[in-house]
Each structure stands twice: as structure tokens, then as C-alpha cells.
Amino acid sequence: MRFLWYVRCSGYLLIGAGFAALLVTDEYGLFSALIFGLLLFLGWQIDSGRLRHAIPLWFWNLATLAFFAFCAADALMIRRDTSVALVNMLVALQAVKLLNPKQDRDYLALYVLSFFALLISSIMTFSALFALSCLLFIATGTWALIARHLKGEIQTY
């Protein structure tokens, strides 16, 4: 049971490290960090079974499509900054994945979305703090992927 906690903890640290890379850019601030921290907390509660919800799948699909339309309008007409719109869409997809019960493939999708957020934030900033966030992502990513692999190996036996 304790090993599963380490697997989940390493995964959430990786997801948080991906968002920390976005905080280095000038597009996201303290409010965004608090909202994403709340999403991580709620996702943790859902994964541990302490929080159960019955939001239907059609709602998540409709909300994702609506936010995708908003991001497209933002990229084409409002701010005309495609990188920010793409990052907003990635964060929205992470929020949908975090707020639903997860299986192993959902964690891997969250890891990939976090990696894409890191990649996009690399073109959005020239700050030296990005190197620190990149090192944090590499360290937590290594830990999360090793823990996820060990979990899969344990389950096969």
C-alpha cells in the first residue's frame, strides 16, 4: 500500500513540475498556481477514494469542446498568441484528466501533457529559472517513470 502512495506522489510531483515550468513564463501567476494546486489536491482526493463525484462523461466532453473553441478564438482573434492558447488547452486537458478517476494510461497521458507544457514553456521564456524547472521536471520524471514501471512489473507477477 505504501508503494502505491509513492507511485501516485511521484506522478503528481511530475505534473506539478510541468506546471512549474509554465510559472516561469510571464503568462501565469500566483492565481494560476493556486488554481492548479487545487486541481492537484482534488485529483489526489479522487485517486485516494476520499472524494467521489458523478459528473457524467458528456459534461466533460462538452466542456472540453467549449474550451477548445475558446482557445481557438483566443489564438485567432483575441490575443493572437497561439502558444498561450495551446498551453491553456493543455492545462484544460490536464484538469479534465485530474478530476476524473484515473487508470495507468491516464497517468501516462498526464505525463505527456506535462512534457508538452514544458516544451511550450521553453519557447515562451528566456529566464534562467527555466533551467531549474527543467531539472525539477527531469528529476521527478525519472522518479515517476521508474515507479510506474515497477508498479507494472509488480502487477504482472
Side-chain angles (χ1 to χ4, degrees), residues 40-110:
L40 287 175
F41 175 76
L42 290 174
W44 183 277
Q45 297 301 316
I46 290 169
D47 285 349
S48 64
R50 293 185 195 124
L51 182 64
R52 298 183 195 272
H53 64 81
I55 299 175
L57 185 61
W58 64 265
F59 172 79
W60 292 114
N61 291 337
L62 187 64
T64 303
L65 285 174
F67 198 77
F68 180 73
F70 171 74
C71 288
D74 185 29
L76 297 174
M77 293 180 282
I78 300 171
R79 279 192 271 186
R80 297 180 185 227
D81 190 359
T82 55
S83 59
V84 173
L86 185 59
V87 168
N88 289 338
M89 190 62 202
L90 286 174
V91 171
L93 289 173
Q94 281 183 326
V96 169
K97 286 285 189 190
L98 282 171
L99 294 177
N100 283 303
K102 290 169 266 325
Q103 297 177 5
D104 285 340
R105 68 174 186 257
D106 295 322
Y107 279 106
L108 292 177
L110 282 166

Side-chain angles (χ1 to χ4, degrees), residues 1 8 18 53 103 120 146:
M1 187 66 173
R8 189 178 334 136
H53 64 81
Q103 297 177 5
I120 292 172
I146 288 173

